[in-house]
């Protein structure tokens, strides 16, 4: 709802219609229900470079410290992967994002955790689009309600990610909504 409640009024200089809001919600409910079959995991929800600390005196994965996890939940195992490779505050090249995803899949398999790559990539696209739509709405709200216009500077990057996310076939109906309502 952050997209229709906050971003759409900022972008179009009008409130979302009841039909636009209802259709957007229904499309998301369908997508998120389809994603519900994935493996639930610890989800930091804000897993990006700003919240990772390099600890050179440690070894292995303990070399990476994590902060700002007070909003953690159980959720999609794809969500934090998305947060890392689609960082709203810094560019992540598509090639680096793909290498990171491939490394994640390989590492999971090496540790004996089965990964259905096609399902993970679909879940990644859904979670990425959801996250970026949410972020666009939050940044619009921070500007409109809280008087923090600096967040608008991040919107082109967030929209770039969202456009790329919407290219996944699982998001075709949602992509059509965005092309129709927010071209």
């Amino acid at each position: 709802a952050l997209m229709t409640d906050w971003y759409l009024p900022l972008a179009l200089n009008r409130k979302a219609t009841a039909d636009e809001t209802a259709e957007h919600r229904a499309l998301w409910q369908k997508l998120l229900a389809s994603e519900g079959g994935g493996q639930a995991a610890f989800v930091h929800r804000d897993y990006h470079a700003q919240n990772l600390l390099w600890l050179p005196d440690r070894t292995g994965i303990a070399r990476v410290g994590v902060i700002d996890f007070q909003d953690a939940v159980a959720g999609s195992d794809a969500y934090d992967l998305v947060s890392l490779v689609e960082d709203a505050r810094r560019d992540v090249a598509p090639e680096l994002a793909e290498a990171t995803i491939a490394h994640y899949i390989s590492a999971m398999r090496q540790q004996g955790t089965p990964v259905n790559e096609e399902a993970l990539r679909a879940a990644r696209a859904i979670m990425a689009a959801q996250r970026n739509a949410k972020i666009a709405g939050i940044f619009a709200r921070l500007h409109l309600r809280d008087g923090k216009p600096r967040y608008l500077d991040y919107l082109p990057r967030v929209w770039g990610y969202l456009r790329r996310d919407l290219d996944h076939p699982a998001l075709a109906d949602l992509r059509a909504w965005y092309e129709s309502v927010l071209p």
Side-chain angles (χ1 to χ4, degrees):
L2 290 163
M3 174 59 70
T4 52
D5 290 354
W6 292 98
Y7 183 82
L8 192 144
L10 175 69
L12 301 182
N13 202 30
R14 66 167 177 82
K15 288 186 175 187
T17 68
D19 287 345
E20 289 167 340
T21 300
E23 184 179 3
H24 189 252
R25 182 178 306 251
L27 289 166
W28 274 116
Q29 287 173 335
K30 181 181 173 186
L31 280 169
L32 294 172
S34 74
E35 209 301 285
Q39 183 175 343
F42 171 91
V43 179
H44 183 281
R45 291 187 4 162
D46 209 11
Y47 191 75
H48 55 76
Q50 254 174 275
N51 290 332
L52 301 175
L53 303 173
W54 185 246
L55 304 168
D57 295 337
R58 296 183 181 180
T59 60
I61 63 171
R63 292 181 92 174
V64 180
V66 181
I67 62 170
D68 194 19
F69 49 84
Q70 70 275 7
D71 292 330
V73 296
S76 171
D77 56 354
Y79 197 91
D80 283 347
L81 182 59
V82 167
S83 298
L84 188 62
V85 301
E86 295 193 4
D87 190 327
R89 292 177 180 86
R90 61 190 46 80
D91 291 326
V92 178
E95 300 81 17
L96 179 58
E98 178 54 37
T100 302
I101 294 165
H103 176 77
Y104 172 80
I105 292 168
S106 175
M108 294 300 284
R109 288 179 176 156
Q110 285 177 5
Q111 74 177 23
T113 303
V115 175
N116 177 327
E117 185 170 346
E118 184 178 331
L120 176 70
R121 288 184 180 279
R124 191 216 60 80
I126 292 167
M127 291 293 97
Q130 183 275 336
R131 183 175 183 275
N132 287 314
K134 176 187 75 169
I135 289 170
I138 289 170
F139 287 176
R141 182 179 66 193
L142 285 167
H143 167 64
L144 293 169
R145 186 190 71 190
D146 301 341
K148 298 179 178 181
R150 71 182 179 275
Y151 286 94
L152 298 181
D153 294 341
Y154 300 126
L155 286 175
R157 178 179 298 112
V158 172
W159 272 102
Y161 290 143
L162 181 56
R163 275 192 302 273
R164 201 166 54 211
D165 302 331
L166 291 171
D167 283 340
H168 192 282
L171 291 127
D173 292 340
L174 187 65
R175 180 177 56 248
W177 183 93
Y178 279 96
E179 289 172 353
S180 170
V181 177
L182 287 163

